[in-house]
Amino acid sequence: VGYPLDIVICVALGVDMFDCVYPCRTARFGTALVRSGQLRLTSAEFANDFRPLEPGGKGPLKEYTRAMLHSIVTKEPVAAQLITWHNLWFMLNLLTEMRGAIKANTFPDWVRQFLKDFFPSAGPAPCAVCPPRWVKDALEVCGIPLDDLFDWSETAQELPDMPKDSAKNSKQ
């Protein structure tokens, strides 16, 4: 368990305690966790991406652009610390949102919206891609239907558990 998707599914299945090094370990390699997957800030595609890490400019690095972080991620040790700070904030925020949705009795709707945000390239039929099929199977056990959100046909290619957000396919 470590990817945000894993955490969401485990909470849906009733798990309420986690121990994970993923947010910190991945930060050391220049990868930031965002609502639509992960940003590998070492990639040259972020050199001219002047958007914040998270849309809406939330989090501890709201004043830092992707381009700025890209420029220091392989040169300055502080970059790993900054991205770690962001990733820990991201995971804490994710869990806080889930707790709020559980308390408000809106958790199934929250999960459905999370999946739409996390897999923005996937959609209802006909669509060439879908989230991993194990996600559908696990959430069916929890009573959270997904048939109307994504194309689960055998022709739809499964996306990875941790999608890669990029400067090219992110909404401006």
Side-chain angles (χ1 to χ4, degrees):
V1 175
Y3 293 158
L5 178 62
D6 299 338
I7 302 291
V8 170
I9 301 304
C10 284
V11 168
L13 292 167
V15 177
D16 62 1
M17 187 178 292
F18 304 94
D19 181 13
C20 175
V21 299
Y22 184 73
C24 300
R25 184 180 57 220
T26 195
R28 289 196 307 267
F29 297 102
T31 300
L33 305 177
V34 294
R35 210 46 178 218
S36 54
Q38 62 185 349
L39 299 173
R40 291 196 176 115
L41 294 166
T42 55
S43 176
E45 68 185 302
F46 295 107
N48 295 308
D49 188 343
F50 296 99
R51 293 173 295 149
L53 284 179
E54 281 287 0
K58 298 176 184 175
L61 302 185
K62 61 185 172 195
E63 304 298 324
Y64 292 76
T65 66
R66 296 170 182 197
M68 185 275 177
L69 290 166
H70 165 78
S71 73
I72 66 168
V73 76
T74 59
K75 300 173 189 140
E76 301 291 335
V78 72
Q81 293 170 323
L82 290 170
I83 297 168
T84 296
W85 188 23
H86 167 81
N87 286 354
L88 290 172
W89 171 85
F90 175 86
M91 294 300 281
L92 181 60
N93 188 61
L94 185 72
L95 289 162
T96 300
E97 285 183 23
M98 284 191 280
R99 183 182 311 116
I102 290 166
K103 285 182 172 182
N105 205 26
T106 59
F107 186 67
D109 293 331
W110 185 92
V111 170
R112 289 167 53 85
Q113 186 60 53
F114 169 83
L115 291 172
K116 289 194 295 188
D117 293 344
F118 205 64
F119 297 104
S121 61
C127 188
V129 296
C130 68
R133 286 181 177 82
W134 67 264
V135 170
K136 178 181 183 279
D137 296 339
L139 291 175
E140 279 180 357
V141 171
C142 305
I144 301 175
L146 301 177
D147 288 330
D148 60 322
L149 294 185
F150 304 110
D151 182 352
W152 299 104
S153 67
E154 290 188 24
T155 59
Q157 180 182 0
E158 286 187 56
L159 292 167
D161 290 3
M162 190 62 181
K164 178 181 176 259
D165 194 341
S166 70
K168 292 180 281 198
N169 64 15
S170 294
K171 295 176 184 169
Q172 295 283 341

CSV table of all heavy atoms in Angstrom, one decimal, residues 11 19 30 35 44 54 60 64-65 69 96 106:
chain,number,residue,atom,x,y,z
A,11,VAL,N,-9.2,2.3,2.3
A,11,VAL,CA,-10.2,3.0,3.2
A,11,VAL,C,-11.6,2.5,2.8
A,11,VAL,O,-12.4,2.2,3.7
A,11,VAL,CB,-10.1,4.5,3.1
A,11,VAL,CG1,-11.2,5.2,3.7
A,11,VAL,CG2,-8.7,5.0,3.7
A,19,ASP,N,1.1,2.6,7.1
A,19,ASP,CA,2.5,3.0,7.3
A,19,ASP,C,3.2,2.9,5.9
A,19,ASP,O,3.3,1.8,5.3
A,19,ASP,CB,3.2,2.0,8.3
A,19,ASP,CG,4.6,2.3,8.5
A,19,ASP,OD1,5.0,3.5,8.1
A,19,ASP,OD2,5.4,1.5,9.1
A,30,GLY,N,12.5,13.1,-7.2
A,30,GLY,CA,11.9,14.3,-8.0
A,30,GLY,C,10.5,14.1,-8.4
A,30,GLY,O,10.1,14.7,-9.4
A,35,ARG,N,-3.3,15.4,-7.8
A,35,ARG,CA,-4.6,14.8,-7.9
A,35,ARG,C,-4.8,13.9,-9.2
A,35,ARG,O,-5.6,13.0,-9.2
A,35,ARG,CB,-5.6,15.9,-8.0
A,35,ARG,CG,-7.0,15.6,-7.4
A,35,ARG,CD,-6.8,14.9,-6.1
A,35,ARG,NE,-8.2,14.7,-5.5
A,35,ARG,CZ,-8.5,14.8,-4.3
A,35,ARG,NH1,-7.6,15.1,-3.4
A,35,ARG,NH2,-9.7,14.6,-3.9
A,44,ALA,N,12.2,16.9,-18.8
A,44,ALA,CA,12.4,18.2,-19.5
A,44,ALA,C,11.1,18.8,-19.8
A,44,ALA,O,11.0,20.1,-20.0
A,44,ALA,CB,13.2,18.0,-20.7
A,54,GLU,N,-0.3,21.7,-7.8
A,54,GLU,CA,-1.7,21.3,-7.8
A,54,GLU,C,-2.5,22.4,-8.4
A,54,GLU,O,-2.3,23.6,-8.1
A,54,GLU,CB,-2.1,21.1,-6.3
A,54,GLU,CG,-1.7,19.8,-5.7
A,54,GLU,CD,-2.5,18.6,-6.3
A,54,GLU,OE1,-3.4,18.8,-7.1
A,54,GLU,OE2,-2.2,17.5,-5.8
A,60,PRO,N,1.7,23.4,0.5
A,60,PRO,CA,2.8,24.2,1.0
A,60,PRO,C,3.7,24.8,-0.1
A,60,PRO,O,4.4,25.7,0.2
A,60,PRO,CB,3.6,23.2,1.8
A,60,PRO,CG,3.2,21.8,1.2
A,60,PRO,CD,1.8,22.0,0.8
A,64,TYR,N,5.4,27.8,-5.7
A,64,TYR,CA,6.5,27.2,-6.6
A,64,TYR,C,5.8,26.7,-7.9
A,64,TYR,O,4.8,26.0,-7.8
A,64,TYR,CB,7.2,26.1,-5.9
A,64,TYR,CG,8.0,26.5,-4.7
A,64,TYR,CD1,7.5,26.8,-3.5
A,64,TYR,CD2,9.4,26.5,-4.8
A,64,TYR,CE1,8.2,27.2,-2.4
A,64,TYR,CE2,10.2,26.9,-3.8
A,64,TYR,CZ,9.6,27.2,-2.5
A,64,TYR,OH,10.4,27.6,-1.5
A,65,THR,N,6.4,27.0,-9.0
A,65,THR,CA,5.9,26.5,-10.3
A,65,THR,C,6.6,25.1,-10.5
A,65,THR,O,7.7,24.8,-10.0
A,65,THR,CB,6.2,27.4,-11.4
A,65,THR,OG1,7.6,27.5,-11.7
A,65,THR,CG2,5.6,28.8,-11.2
A,69,LEU,N,10.6,24.1,-9.8
A,69,LEU,CA,11.0,22.8,-9.1
A,69,LEU,C,11.9,21.9,-10.1
A,69,LEU,O,12.8,21.3,-9.7
A,69,LEU,CB,9.8,22.1,-8.6
A,69,LEU,CG,9.2,22.8,-7.4
A,69,LEU,CD1,7.8,22.2,-7.1
A,69,LEU,CD2,10.0,22.7,-6.2
A,96,THR,N,-7.7,13.5,5.0
A,96,THR,CA,-8.6,14.4,5.6
A,96,THR,C,-9.9,14.5,4.8
A,96,THR,O,-11.0,14.6,5.3
A,96,THR,CB,-7.9,15.8,5.7
A,96,THR,OG1,-6.8,15.7,6.6
A,96,THR,CG2,-8.9,16.8,6.4
A,106,THR,N,-20.9,10.9,2.4
A,106,THR,CA,-20.8,11.1,1.0
A,106,THR,C,-19.6,10.4,0.4
A,106,THR,O,-19.2,10.7,-0.7
A,106,THR,CB,-20.7,12.6,0.7
A,106,THR,OG1,-19.5,13.1,1.3
A,106,THR,CG2,-21.9,13.3,1.1
